[in-house]
Amino acid sequence: MRDSAEFKRVAAAAALDFIHPGMRLGLGTGSTAEAFLELLAGRVAKGLDVVGAATSERTAGKARALGIKIAELDDLAPLDVTIDGADETDDALNLIKGGGGALLREKIVAASSRKMVVIADHSKLVKRLGAYALPVEIVAFGARSTLDRLERTLAEFGYKDVTVTPRSGPEGLFRTDSGNLIFDCALKVIHDAPSLATALSQVPGVVDHGLFIGLASHLIIAGPAGTRILEGKAS
Ligand code: 5RP
């Protein structure tokens, strides 16, 4: 019986088909993205010339340690393709991301890429987003007031009495690479992800949220039934 780590690696391997010499890559964050980095490093060691912009300090460190060239996003954009994981995806390739806390940079990098290829094991493909708690990144200044506005916005969308949990890290509250906080919102089912995404982006104090709408061009999903590639509107 193969486990999810193996399927993540299968999806990561399939993403190598999107990579060509001379490309400028966006490099995602998380265990699936790290599996891709390891496989990419094998190609780089054999002479593949690519350069990447990382979606987190963790990914930048891992890529450099593996011998993959890293540069600033602004020196590379527009990128040819970003390869990244997801916490959930529906079949329209709307995503929940941010389980690793890198959602802000992940969204900036994806939006700076001609293509975004999402790699995932089969457990990530859902009928409706929302079972995975939606990460929302907020600035620390006035965090309690922002939280009130966030909860009011969620209530307007019918999400009343939602559990909103501040994410903790090794030393108290988790801080993102940009120094912000994350609140995980247990919505259970998201009925209209594009409208909710727009509304959350308008809450003062919210820096960004984990809904990625219309950004993914391709989804590579690997599971016991094999590997499938779905195309999104952004393809
Ligand atoms: C990090 C992310 C990751 O892509 C997401 O959490 C998936 O992680 P994994 O590949 O470890 O399952 O959004 O912020």
Side-chain angles (χ1 to χ4, degrees):
M1 188 72 176
R2 303 172 90 182
D3 62 12
S4 80
E6 286 179 69
F7 291 129
K8 287 177 178 188
R9 204 166 173 84
V10 171
L16 288 172
D17 289 345
F18 286 82
I19 310 302
H20 302 294
M23 275 190 163
R24 298 158 173 234
L25 309 177
L27 301 174
T29 295
S31 57
T32 322
E34 288 190 8
F36 174 75
L37 287 184
E38 285 161 12
L39 295 164
L40 180 67
R43 296 282 173 94
V44 169
K46 289 184 183 147
L48 176 71
D49 181 27
V50 289
V51 57
T55 53
S56 63
E57 300 300 330
R58 181 188 160 119
T59 292
K62 170 120 188 161
R64 285 198 186 97
L66 287 166
I68 299 168
K69 275 188 283 178
I70 291 293
E72 292 298 322
L73 173 63
D74 283 347
D75 293 330
L76 298 182
L79 303 171
D80 294 295
V81 58
T82 288
I83 310 289
D84 202 350
D87 297 301
E88 277 186 352
T89 172
D90 63 18
D91 61 9
L93 276 54
N94 296 317
L95 315 173
I96 288 183
K97 285 185 55 55
L103 59 128
L104 175 60
R105 293 192 187 188
E106 288 172 334
K107 200 177 279 185
I108 293 170
V109 168
S112 307
S113 300
R114 294 192 175 101
K115 286 182 187 160
M116 178 193 194
V117 177
V118 176
I119 49 179
D121 72 277
H122 63 115
S123 69
K124 306 290 184 72
L125 182 58
V126 296
K127 278 215 157 50
R128 266 187 200 282
L129 301 177
Y132 193 92
L134 177 67
V136 177
E137 182 163 344
I138 70 170
V139 284
F141 174 81
R144 205 170 308 139
S145 314
T146 300
L147 189 55
D148 286 347
R149 282 189 291 276
L150 172 62
E151 286 176 334
R152 277 204 300 276
T153 302
L154 291 174
E156 280 163 21
F157 273 78
Y159 302 108
K160 300 206 167 73
D161 303 320
V162 168
T163 307
V164 178
T165 311
R167 195 176 296 183
S168 44
E171 294 158 25
L173 288 178
F174 175 85
R175 293 283 180 156
T176 68
D177 283 345
S178 301
N180 299 315
L181 307 173
I182 291 188
F183 285 86
D184 293 303
C185 307
L187 304 180
K188 299 193 177 107
V189 179
I190 297 175
H191 297 286
D192 182 354
S195 302
L196 180 62
T198 303
L200 292 177
S201 296
Q202 288 168 355
V203 176
V206 167
V207 181
D208 214 332
H209 53 76
L211 285 170
F212 283 47
I213 309 295
L215 283 170
S217 59
H218 297 80
L219 167 66
I220 303 176
I221 198 101
T227 303
R228 281 194 297 152
I229 301 185
L230 307 185
E231 287 193 15
K233 282 193 201 127
S235 67

